Amino acid sequence: MSNEIISKENLVYRKPALMNDTPMHYCPGCSHGVVHKLVAEVIEEMGMEDKSVGVCPVGCAVFAYRYLDIDWQEAAHGRAPAVASAIKRCWNDRLVFTYQGDGDLACIGTCETIHALNRGENITIIFINNAIYGMTGGQMAPTTLIGQKTSTCPYGRTPEIHGYPLKVTEIAATLEGTCYVTRQSVETVAAIRSAKKAIRKAFEASMAGKGSSLVEIVSTCNSGWKMSPVKANKWMQENMFKFYPKGDLKDSTNESQIK
């Protein structure tokens, strides 16, 4: 009887085989775990388990190698796109991607990110944007919203003092080297499905030599925001999507040229 219940045709869901049995260190309600699962599922479905290389730098994403059973390379803070560029150029048949937070990508690594995308490196950058420095104490990030309170702008971010939030994805969409630029989220089942499709499209474009892809995931940081997971999701929907609207900003994946 048990064999009939767990037979292949009755299987509704299973944990991705690439996900290691490692207890998650992320805070409850954090979006990182969901995105990890999506990356694992896409790699499995593409049959790239033995030919995928992830690059993760410093920040909450630093321990990504604990969870996905693929090849990983650590990078210095912000330097993941430079490292990924080198790996892809040496091993062109590999699926190479970076996994970075907004403090890492939009601040410390702005130079490496912009230039790798502009060169059209055949890599995918997965960009987790929770508008705060989540690991180091909840400081203001380049992506922090106007009026949003953090440990270093306790009265809210103001343009006069702190400048404006940096829209990295909009910038990436203007670069000639990018082929696919999109902004997604993972707060609902529908959003998770959309994010998975976006990751798959980006990975396929990288393998087809179409150029650089950037997949931004607008995310929560309930610990840094000092909210419950439910309130954090609600706050993100009501506030972040106004400044960071979801959807594809650039899609030239159907073009024939190989970069």
Side-chain angles (χ1 to χ4, degrees):
M1 182 65 179
S2 61
N3 289 336
E4 294 177 2
I5 294 175
I6 62 175
S7 60
K8 184 177 180 180
E9 59 270 21
N10 292 330
L11 181 64
V12 176
Y13 178 80
R14 67 175 177 83
K15 186 178 96 173
L18 285 182
M19 297 278 306
N20 294 321
D21 291 325
T22 303
M24 281 282 175
H25 79 283
Y26 297 116
C27 303
C30 178
S31 305
H32 277 294
V34 179
V35 183
H36 283 8
K37 178 181 74 74
L38 298 183
V39 172
E41 288 178 349
V42 171
I43 291 174
E44 283 184 32
E45 291 168 8
M46 292 179 66
M48 297 296 292
E49 296 94 328
D50 297 327
K51 288 193 173 183
S52 295
V53 182
V55 184
C56 54
V58 179
C60 289
V62 69
F63 295 123
Y65 61 82
R66 288 184 176 181
Y67 306 114
L68 273 67
D69 188 17
I70 60 173
D71 289 329
W72 286 93
Q73 175 65 53
E74 267 320 292
H77 209 169
R79 315 308 181 216
V83 175
S85 297
I87 294 171
K88 183 65 176 182
R89 291 189 179 202
C90 290
W91 286 341
N92 190 50
D93 66 332
R94 296 306 198 265
L95 170 60
V96 183
F97 66 94
T98 72
Y99 188 89
Q100 303 173 255
D102 53 295
D104 176 89
L105 183 149
C107 185
I108 295 92
T110 310
C111 174
E112 285 76 10
T113 299
I114 295 300
H115 285 288
L117 292 172
N118 196 49
R119 289 195 305 269
E121 303 288 349
N122 292 309
I123 62 173
T124 292
I125 295 177
I126 297 177
F127 170 34
I128 308 299
N129 178 12
N130 53 28
I132 202 170
Y133 278 88
M135 174 178 276
T136 56
Q139 300 93 334
M140 184 185 71
T143 52
T144 298
L145 302 179
I146 298 297
Q148 185 177 353
K149 297 178 180 180
T150 73
S151 62
T152 50
C153 56
Y155 300 104
R157 178 174 189 159
T158 62
E160 298 79 11
I161 298 175
H162 310 105
Y164 293 92
L166 188 63
K167 291 187 174 182
V168 176
T169 303
E170 278 78 358
I171 294 172
T174 68
L175 303 176
E176 293 187 22
T178 56
C179 68
Y180 182 54
V181 179
T182 186
R183 181 180 287 122
Q184 302 288 329
S185 63
V186 291
E187 84 285 0
T188 65
V189 173
I192 290 171
R193 289 176 176 171
S194 178
K196 181 177 178 179
K197 290 179 181 178
I199 293 171
R200 175 73 181 252
K201 177 179 281 192
F203 282 179
E204 289 177 343
S206 297
M207 293 306 299
K210 296 288 186 178
S212 304
S213 294
L214 175 69
V215 179
E216 176 184 349
I217 309 289
V218 181
S219 308
T220 60
C221 181
N222 48 287
S223 294
W225 297 350
K226 304 188 186 314
M227 300 178 184
S228 69
V230 173
K231 288 183 178 179
N233 267 337
K234 184 178 180 181
W235 187 91
M236 179 180 67
Q237 293 170 334
E238 293 176 349
N239 296 276
M240 290 186 68
F241 292 158
K242 293 178 182 178
F243 190 80
Y244 297 114
K246 294 193 294 180
D248 293 350
L249 282 76
K250 181 179 183 179
D251 185 0
S252 59
T253 56
N254 292 325
E255 296 180 5
S256 59
Q257 69 267 24
I258 304 295
K259 297 181 180 180

